[in-house]
Amino acid sequence: MRLFRFRGGIHPDDHKGPTAQIPISEFPLPKRLYIPVQQHIGNPAQAIVAPGQKVLKGELLAKAKGGLSAPVHAPTSGEVVSVEDHAAPHPSGLAATTIVLEPDGKDAWIETRGTEDPFALTPEIIGERVAGAGIVGMGGAAFPSAVKLSAAKERAETLIINGAECEPYLTCDDRLMQERADAVIDGIRIMLHALGTNRALIAIENNKPDAQTAMRRACEDFPGIEIIGVPTLYPMGSEKQMIMSLTGREIPAGKRSADIGVIVHNVATAYAVHEAIREGRPLIRRIVTVGGAAIRKPANLEVPIGTLAADLIAHCGGLGEEPARLVMGGPMMGVSLPHTDIPMVKGSNGILGLTKSELHSPKTSSPCIRCARCVQVCPVGLLPLQMAAHSRRGDVEGAARLGLEDCISCGTCSYICPAGIPLTQYFNYAKGALAARRAEKQKGELTRKLAQARQERLERQAREKKEAAARRKAEREAAKAAAAKSAGEERKATS
Amino acid sequence: MISANPLSAPHAHASDSVPKIMLSVWVALLPASGLGVYQFGWPALNILVITSIAAVAAEAGSLWVAGKNIGRHLADGSALLTGWILGMSLPPWAPWWLGVFGAVFAIVVGKHVFGGLGQNLFNPAMLARVALLVSFPLEMTQWPSPAALSGGAAPGFLDGFSITFAGNYPDALTGATVLGHIKTELAAHGASVEASLTGHYTALSATVGTTAGSLGETSAALLLLGGLFLMFRRTIAWHIPAAMLGTVAVLATAFHLVDPSRYADAGVHLLSGGLIMAALFIATDPVGSPATPRGRLIFGMGCGALIYVIRVWGGYPEGVAFAVLLMNAVTPIIDHYVRPRIYGREAGGTPLEYQTPEERS
């Protein structure tokens, strides 16, 4: 198949060596699980369990709330200890509503409803079950998957399965494809059935030949499904760049991939769909790469959702040295964690303990020398150096005119900048400021409209009062006149 | 455990840095400057050292006045590089004060008046070169013939000292650059280009560098070597050098075909004067050149065309410094109009109508 080259991109050291050959191992149940009710884009789920309540593995803990949301299930059987605020996977470490579960060690499943023949199910039922299983995009963005399966149904021509895993260090998708290729392919077939199409392209970067081989073997019997080896180039795994590479098409600004007939799902999401539809199992565990030079024994672990990073690190031999930065996700787009007391969520594909020498982060930034390497590597075609100049002096509108809102925050510009200027960080700040400013403007607009409406109402009321008074006066006068008239007539009559 | 540095992504960085870039450019300049020192003798080394020290001192002074961290900014190596490039562009036996004046002018007026590294509109070394050429035309056009490689002896340490610091310029050794010779012969005697070139120019001597000229600009081969090293290291891109040299070559060839007695051929233009030095090391200075590949092509073509025009029809035999400065001034306009197309949008910025690349091309 002909591939297309997207603009820019970088070749960071992939650091995948230490974990790429280590099989997935199961993580033993920790003492406690901390399950946030929000692990996805959209509205937080609503907790429906109370402290002291016994739950079975797979039992619903929190139900989806609103249009864009996903439910959360118990990763094992045990007792709900509390529903409290606990540090969430976010650089701030701010607390979010979290269900604390103490495993009873039995790991007893709730009664599950699988199916022998998913292809007999209607797409609607598959969509419902995927939604009910709490499946969200597992590549990191955590967008509720059912929405992407059902909303796009009429328009989808091609399903693209993202097995690029372009972030350095991470090998969880690589191992999943190597070890559970058949289940992944089955999940993809179910997704195809739900989308009502038969063409799936599975993109795997060429630095994962074993995964390519395993997946190719698994989809031999399914002619609509094709494995595409794509060049190892960050950010290949970004939706827009991946679609460009495989189809040569760009998503027009402001549109979604479905508008050009393409739906993109992650390989781990396909696996979760297989589990949910075939076995009736909700999404309660995922594979996490624990890596980085600060980790003694890097590994790929299949982990119950809600396991603390501290437990994972301890299981991997602990920290050999103090990490300079602790990251959830990959080094290019992951979030840095303030401490290890933070739980794994559905989108957590890695926990990295990065040492100072790995970070290679510039201590201070020096002035921009306009070398324009940021322009050269930007996969979107932006001018990061100019956008940064605007962002730095707070001119977010100026940055927006240069395309701030088209920035995908992939981090390539910050990565390459020889002056060590935190470009991506500037843009994230500017995006936040821009959103706040727009919201403020909208609020101002609303206030103005309300004030205007009030003014009009007051004027109308005054006018009505005046009119009513005039009317009453006229009525009174008319009555008076009538009375006078009738009195005159009476007088006339009586005289 | 509290991690020391909770920052936002990315948590990885490429290994290149501004000091490394400056150092690599300096390394790339070493072969050509080395040849200059070898063939023009001690005075050449004196002037390189003088311009470098003066530039670094001026940088330190400017940083102090601006209240910036002197040590941290000096460490980027940019002042040293500016001083070195200026030295390479001066006549090899220039007096010490010319070097000092040029270097201080480059750093103070060419760079820090604009706000320091990265803020200057013009290339500091070329600004200083032009200032010197306009202010001290005599000293800026005294060209010793390269002694060592052509059989004579380059001045020794004491002679060099006397040339640089006491102004004892040995008149007997004065020569002329190829471009200057063509221009004066044509103006004074109406001599044809072929006649002027005979005995003054061979493609071999211009390539190796055994000709009269600025300290570090004579050897096309060694400069090219350094330029290729920088391209290989991805410090510079091919766009500006290719556009610049290509434009000069095309213009020279075209006019040479029209009237060979009046216009020198492309080889003479490419190998003489400061063209190759400028195309590889000066016009490629990122601070004053456009940020996009297309912008850089336009910039390079503009430089090339201006150089040819000044050389052939202008008042000066060489126009490299003027051309680069003029194009530096145009860079903000180029950067304003020439931008990459943003993903998902037309070149103008409106969202794409649905299109495939085949349809677009």
Side-chain angles (χ1 to χ4, degrees), chain A residues 2 7 240 248-253 260 319 322 324-325 327 331-334 336 338-339 354 359-360 364-365 367-373 380-383 402 406 411 414-415 417-419 425, chain B residues 1-18 21 72-73 117-118 234-235 286-287 289-292 296 331 335 339-345 351-352 354 357-358 360:
Chain A
R2 181 186 161 193
R7 191 187 186 289
K240 289 176 171 176
R249 296 181 195 169
E250 291 181 21
I251 305 173
I260 58 168
L319 294 167
E322 190 75 356
R325 214 171 289 179
V327 174
M332 293 303 296
M333 290 188 77
S336 70
H339 50 75
L354 301 176
L359 272 180
H360 218 290
T364 50
S365 61
C368 171
I369 57 166
R370 291 175 39 86
C371 69
R373 289 183 193 184
V380 178
L382 299 171
L383 298 169
L402 288 167
D406 292 298
S414 285
Y415 171 86
C417 180
Q425 290 87 339
Chain B
M1 187 217 69
I2 301 291
S3 116
N5 211 352
L7 291 169
S8 63
H11 314 287
H13 197 270
S15 61
D16 216 1
S17 66
V18 173
I21 291 175
R72 188 152 74 78
H73 284 88
L117 180 64
R234 309 224 170 177
T235 304
V287 176
S289 59
T292 59
R296 287 171 172 174
T331 292
D335 266 348
R339 293 184 194 168
R341 187 182 63 80
I342 295 175
Y343 177 102
R345 293 181 185 276
L352 281 183
Y354 174 66
E358 289 92 341
R360 209 179 304 125

Side-chain angles (χ1 to χ4, degrees), chain A residues 246-461:
Chain A
L246 295 186
T247 67
R249 296 181 195 169
E250 291 181 21
I251 305 173
K255 301 267 172 142
R256 293 182 179 193
S257 67
D259 293 317
I260 58 168
V262 181
I263 296 292
V264 183
H265 281 288
N266 182 269
V267 279
T269 312
Y271 179 73
V273 167
H274 157 83
E275 289 266 286
I277 302 298
R278 289 274 179 188
E279 318 289 344
R281 294 178 178 172
L283 178 55
I284 51 170
R285 49 201 302 121
R286 69 153 298 137
I287 303 163
V288 179
T289 301
V290 185
I295 306 286
R296 278 220 179 83
K297 287 186 284 176
N300 278 299
L301 301 173
E302 187 159 31
V303 186
I305 301 295
T307 307
L308 295 181
D311 294 337
L312 287 185
I313 293 171
H315 183 78
C316 293
L319 294 167
E321 60 179 291
E322 190 75 356
R325 214 171 289 179
L326 192 68
V327 174
M328 179 178 280
M332 293 303 296
M333 290 188 77
V335 296
S336 70
L337 301 180
H339 50 75
T340 55
D341 193 18
I342 287 184
M344 296 300 109
V345 289
K346 293 169 183 174
S348 312
N349 40 16
I351 282 290
L352 308 177
L354 301 176
T355 60
K356 204 170 162 196
S357 63
E358 284 179 292
L359 272 180
H360 218 290
S361 84
K363 273 190 278 311
T364 50
S365 61
S366 54
C368 171
I369 57 166
R370 291 175 39 86
C371 69
R373 289 183 193 184
C374 53
V375 179
Q376 202 183 322
V377 300
C378 178
V380 178
L382 299 171
L383 298 169
L385 76 171
Q386 291 188 10
M387 273 162 55
H390 285 281
S391 303
R392 186 153 61 174
R393 60 168 186 263
D395 176 17
V396 292
E397 297 289 345
R401 276 196 298 280
L402 288 167
L404 177 68
E405 286 156 293
D406 292 298
C407 168
I408 58 171
S409 295
C410 63
T412 51
C413 51
S414 285
Y415 171 86
I416 207 78
C417 180
I421 300 171
L423 294 155
T424 313
Q425 290 87 339
Y426 277 136
F427 304 150
N428 288 340
Y429 154 75
K431 284 177 193 170
L434 190 67
R437 201 168 290 190
R438 298 254 158 101
E440 191 67 24
K441 204 171 156 191
Q442 222 164 20
K443 205 172 143 194
E445 191 72 9
L446 189 67
T447 314
R448 201 183 55 75
K449 274 189 188 154
L450 287 175
Q452 196 181 358
R454 178 169 183 273
Q455 187 67 28
E456 281 169 8
R457 194 176 67 242
L458 289 178
E459 279 170 11
R460 197 181 62 236
Q461 282 170 349

Side-chain angles (χ1 to χ4, degrees), chain B residues 51-76:
Chain B
T51 51
S52 302
I53 291 176
V56 171
E59 174 96 349
S62 303
L63 289 169
W64 179 73
V65 169
K68 293 180 184 170
N69 183 329
I70 297 176
R72 188 152 74 78
H73 284 88
L74 271 188
D76 65 29

Side-chain angles (χ1 to χ4, degrees), chain B residues 73-151:
Chain B
H73 284 88
L74 271 188
D76 65 29
S78 63
L80 178 73
L81 188 60
T82 299
W84 194 270
I85 288 180
L86 176 69
M88 287 177 72
S89 73
L90 293 180
W93 291 2
W96 66 273
W97 52 267
L98 199 73
V100 171
F101 180 83
V104 172
F105 189 90
I107 296 296
V108 176
V109 179
K111 184 173 170 190
H112 281 280
V113 162
F114 291 91
L117 180 64
Q119 301 292 313
N120 45 296
L121 185 56
F122 300 104
N123 181 290
M126 288 303 100
L127 200 66
R129 185 180 187 173
V130 164
L132 293 175
L133 190 61
V134 174
S135 313
F136 310 104
L138 182 67
E139 287 80 359
M140 283 297 285
T141 49
Q142 278 179 329
W143 310 107
S145 38
L149 290 186
S150 46

Side-chain angles (χ1 to χ4, degrees), chain B residues 185-224:
Chain B
E185 287 295 296
L186 189 70
H189 317 296
S192 75
V193 169
E194 288 107 323
S196 316
L197 286 178
T198 316
H200 260 89
Y201 168 86
T202 61
L204 181 67
S205 67
T207 307
V208 177
T210 56
T211 58
S214 297
L215 196 163
E217 292 180 350
T218 54
S219 171
L222 293 178
L223 288 168
L224 217 53

Side-chain angles (χ1 to χ4, degrees), chain A residues 45-110:
Chain A
Q46 191 174 20
I48 57 161
V49 289
Q53 189 174 334
K54 298 261 195 289
V55 293
L56 288 169
K57 186 177 185 177
E59 193 171 333
L60 189 66
L61 295 179
K63 63 179 184 186
K65 205 175 76 178
L68 194 61
S69 186
V72 174
H73 301 80
T76 184
S77 59
E79 185 182 321
V80 175
V81 180
S82 66
V83 179
E84 60 176 41
D85 281 349
H86 185 89
H90 185 271
S92 69
L94 285 178
T97 307
T98 300
I99 296 164
V100 184
L101 181 69
E102 196 166 276
D104 58 12
K106 292 179 198 148
D107 211 23
W109 270 102
I110 195 169

